[in-house]
């Protein structure tokens, strides 16, 4: 049984030795499982064989215990103690190489020990609920889930941040996003799809928000008129999923991580790039020209401005300059220097890129060529759009970034079960 289910009477349970006080005549042992902790009390004279097992046991060893749970008002842990009849040591723990206050990199070396801390386990309980709710929203709204390969013959985002792998006598790449596959689903008539997949970026960035492998949550939908249709779906998915997290884990997150889960209000605030340039220049007195990318300082200033102005932790930036976006993005027909694209910011970090896509194969090919990308390896992708394909759009969200921000974690390393970065391929 789980420790949290223990009531007075006969019990059998397993767990970790969290604490052990070995007195002259008595032993007080705290056993922990995922659900809670309980005290085991041993009277040495009555059970010398059990006392001997505990005397030789180390902290964090695991045990199986059969005994009687009895109420005892002096026991701090729930007013119940276990009088054991038999104890079996199921594993022996060597001295722990890390403590709670070890550096993050030391802790990652021994992640299996690090994650035993209930505050860290909670991160993954939250992620389970969040991801499940995002999927549920999609399923409830007629999305089809597709499982896509992580090996690909051509770079899906352009650029150099792609891992190359030896593939028999030829080369393959690890996907930077399932972009091509989700767009193919639109050509296949699936109308609405979502994909949960690992994605890879060969970026040597050592920041709190970069990993070389992370979990993507991707959505693509047909018959969109602009990025606005995609943004409406994304804000609903997030509001629903965060409300589920607040409902299920809000109190525990506050207790163990000291963080309030704020369920965002709909709609999320929006600002176009053209408006953002004006705000940065006229109100925040920063030096930026129309068509530029934000530098980090400008990005932080804009996030700060939007949060203060709207009292909202999320906001969309829309209609980026076309030449700053990936080749598959549709340009605005009335103003082709700008595109039908968006990013979503949460607190001060970008968590999503999205857009309406260019679904006309001839225009798409031109966009590829005009970015200096060799169109030959893209032929399979361009072919998707040659046999009829509705206008479509979608977004890609970084799940690990979302968790990091939702729980105010200092780095994406804490948000990922196993972090992968430029200097880390283990454990
Ligand atoms: P983009 O390249 O913006 O867009 O990636 C989408 C989201 O993925 C997350 N992300 C990362 N997370 C951790 N470490 C990284 N190195 C990293 N890089 C990106 C971010 C980001 O917003 N195909 C498009 C999406 C689309 O248009 O549908 C794409 O991949 O949260």
């Amino acid at each position: 049984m789980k420790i949290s289910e223990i009531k007075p009477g006969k019990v059998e349970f397993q767990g970790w030795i969290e604490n052990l006080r070995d007195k002259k005549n008595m032993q007080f042992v705290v056993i922990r499982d995922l659900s809670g902790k309980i005290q085991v009390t041993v009277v040495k004279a009555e059970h010398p064989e059990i006392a001997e097992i505990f005397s030789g046991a180390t902290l964090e060893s695991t045990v199986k215990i059969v005994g009687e749970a009895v109420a005892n008002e002096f026991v701090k842990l729930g007013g119940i103690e276990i009088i054991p009849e038999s104890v079996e040591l199921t594993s022996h723990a060597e001295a722990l190489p890390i403590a709670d206050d070890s550096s993050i990199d030391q802790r990652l070396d021994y992640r299996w020990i690090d994650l035993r801390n209930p505050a860290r386990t909670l991160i993954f309980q939250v992620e389970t609920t969040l991801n499940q709710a995002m999927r549920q929203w999609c399923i409830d709204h007629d999305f089809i889930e597709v499982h896509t390969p992580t090996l690909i013959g051509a770079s899906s985002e352009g650029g150099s941040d792609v891992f190359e792998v030896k593939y028999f006598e030829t080369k393959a790449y690890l996907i930077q996003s399932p972009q091509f596959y989700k767009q193919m689903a639109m050509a296949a008539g699936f109308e609405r799809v979502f994909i949960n997949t690992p994605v890879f970026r060969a970026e040597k960035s050592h920041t709190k928000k970069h990993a070389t492998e992370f979990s993507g949550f991707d959505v693509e939908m047909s018959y969109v008129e602009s990025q606005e249709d995609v943004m409406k779906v994304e804000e609903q998915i997030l509001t629903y999923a965060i409300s589920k997290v607040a409902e299920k884990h809000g109190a525990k997150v506050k207790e163990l991580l000291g963080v309030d889960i704020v369920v965002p209000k709909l709609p999320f605030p929006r600002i176009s790039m053209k408006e953002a340039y004006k705000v940065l220049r006229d109100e925040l007195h920063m030096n930026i020209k129309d068509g530029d990318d934000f530098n980090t300082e400008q990005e932080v200033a804009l996030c700060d401005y939007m949060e203060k102005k709207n009292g909202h932790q999320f906001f969309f930036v829309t209609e980026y300059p076309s030449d700053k976006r990936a080749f598959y993005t549709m340009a605005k027909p009335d103003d082709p220097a700008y595109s039908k694209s968006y990013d979503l910011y949460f607190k001060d970090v970008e968590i999503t890129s999205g857009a309406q896509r260019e679904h006309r194969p001839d225009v798409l090919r031109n966009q590829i060529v005009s970015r200096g990308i060799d169109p030959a390896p893209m032929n399979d992708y361009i072919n998707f759009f040659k046999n009829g394909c509705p206008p479509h759009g979608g977004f890609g969200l970084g799940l690990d970034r979302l968790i990091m921000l939702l729980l105010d974690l200092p780095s994406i390393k804490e948000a990922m079960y196993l972090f992968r970065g430029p200097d880390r391929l283990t454990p």
Side-chain angles (χ1 to χ4, degrees), residues 157 176-177 179 182 201 203 209-211 214 218 328 350-354 357 394-398 401 412:
E157 297 294 318
Q176 297 148 293
S177 101
Q179 185 67 33
K182 59 181 183 172
R201 302 283 167 107
E203 287 174 289
K209 60 182 183 183
H210 285 94
F214 59 94
D218 278 76
Y328 47 74
E350 174 218 312
I351 58 163
T352 295
S353 296
R357 321 301 186 184
F395 69 82
L397 176 141
R401 282 195 188 174
I412 198 164

Side-chain angles (χ1 to χ4, degrees), residues 194-214:
F194 72 96
I195 304 171
N196 250 178
T197 179
V199 287
F200 304 86
R201 302 283 167 107
E203 287 174 289
K204 279 208 171 135
S205 304
H206 296 85
T207 76
K208 69 167 195 174
K209 60 182 183 183
H210 285 94
T212 49
E213 175 176 359
F214 59 94

Side-chain angles (χ1 to χ4, degrees), residues 106-125:
Q106 285 172 318
R107 289 198 282 109
L108 292 192
D109 285 340
Y110 297 95
R111 191 64 163 152
W112 63 96
I113 300 167
D114 184 42
L115 291 173
R116 291 178 197 173
N117 179 321
R120 307 223 165 93
T121 312
L122 178 62
I123 296 168
F124 300 90
Q125 291 166 324

Side-chain angles (χ1 to χ4, degrees), residues 62-95:
T62 58
V63 283
K64 180 172 178 181
I65 293 180
V66 178
E68 189 78 15
V70 290
N72 179 344
E73 59 178 311
F74 298 110
V75 174
K76 284 195 198 114
L77 275 177
I80 281 194
E81 66 184 337
I82 309 296
I83 310 299
E85 286 158 19
S86 76
V87 170
E88 181 192 338
L89 205 60
T90 53
S91 77
H92 167 77
E94 292 178 15

Side-chain angles (χ1 to χ4, degrees), residues 215-404:
S215 297
F217 189 87
D218 278 76
V219 159
E220 201 69 22
M221 17 189 295
S222 284
Y223 310 120
V224 303
E225 304 279 340
S226 75
Q227 74 281 352
E228 181 61 32
D229 295 327
V230 183
M231 288 153 57
K232 281 201 181 104
V233 163
E234 182 169 16
E235 63 188 357
Q236 288 182 68
I237 293 176
L238 286 170
T239 302
Y240 176 76
I242 294 172
S243 76
K244 291 290 165 195
V245 169
E247 213 175 284
K248 190 159 179 192
H249 306 288
K252 207 70 193 165
V253 167
K254 182 74 185 167
E255 180 197 331
L256 296 185
L257 298 169
V259 175
D260 290 304
I261 303 282
V262 179
V263 180
K265 292 204 169 50
L266 289 169
F268 294 3
R270 285 133 160 88
I271 184 168
S272 71
M273 273 302 266
K274 283 188 179 167
E275 289 161 350
Y277 290 135
K278 275 209 196 79
V279 166
L280 286 168
R281 279 194 302 256
D282 302 348
E283 297 191 41
L284 304 173
H285 312 292
M286 301 185 102
N287 189 9
I288 188 167
K289 295 193 303 298
D290 281 11
D292 284 356
D293 267 336
F294 304 135
N295 63 30
T296 310
E297 198 193 343
Q298 290 160 347
E299 196 174 47
V300 170
L302 184 69
C303 291
D304 199 46
Y305 171 88
M306 288 299 281
E307 181 158 358
K308 285 207 181 95
K309 181 174 169 213
N310 301 298
H312 202 292
Q313 294 179 330
F314 289 85
F315 70 98
F316 290 111
V317 181
T318 64
E319 303 186 347
Y320 281 76
S322 292
D323 62 357
K324 298 287 187 283
R325 299 300 276 202
F327 55 83
Y328 47 74
T329 312
M330 186 179 271
K332 286 183 72 182
D334 53 339
D335 185 8
Y338 288 84
S339 61
K340 297 174 102 174
S341 60
Y342 77 89
D343 276 2
L344 175 62
Y345 282 85
F346 180 25
K347 299 181 180 171
D348 55 355
V349 178
E350 174 218 312
I351 58 163
T352 295
S353 296
Q356 181 172 349
R357 321 301 186 184
E358 182 47 71
H359 66 285
R360 297 162 295 181
D362 46 337
V363 184
L364 180 60
R365 175 178 290 274
N366 288 343
Q367 292 194 173
I368 291 171
V369 172
S370 73
R371 280 165 176 76
I373 300 170
D374 177 8
M378 298 287 183
N379 276 339
D380 283 341
Y381 167 63
I382 298 169
N383 283 345
F384 295 160
F385 309 106
K386 288 188 175 165
N387 310 95
C389 179
H392 60 275
F395 69 82
L397 176 141
L399 198 57
D400 312 282
R401 282 195 188 174
L402 175 58
I403 288 288
M404 168 181 84

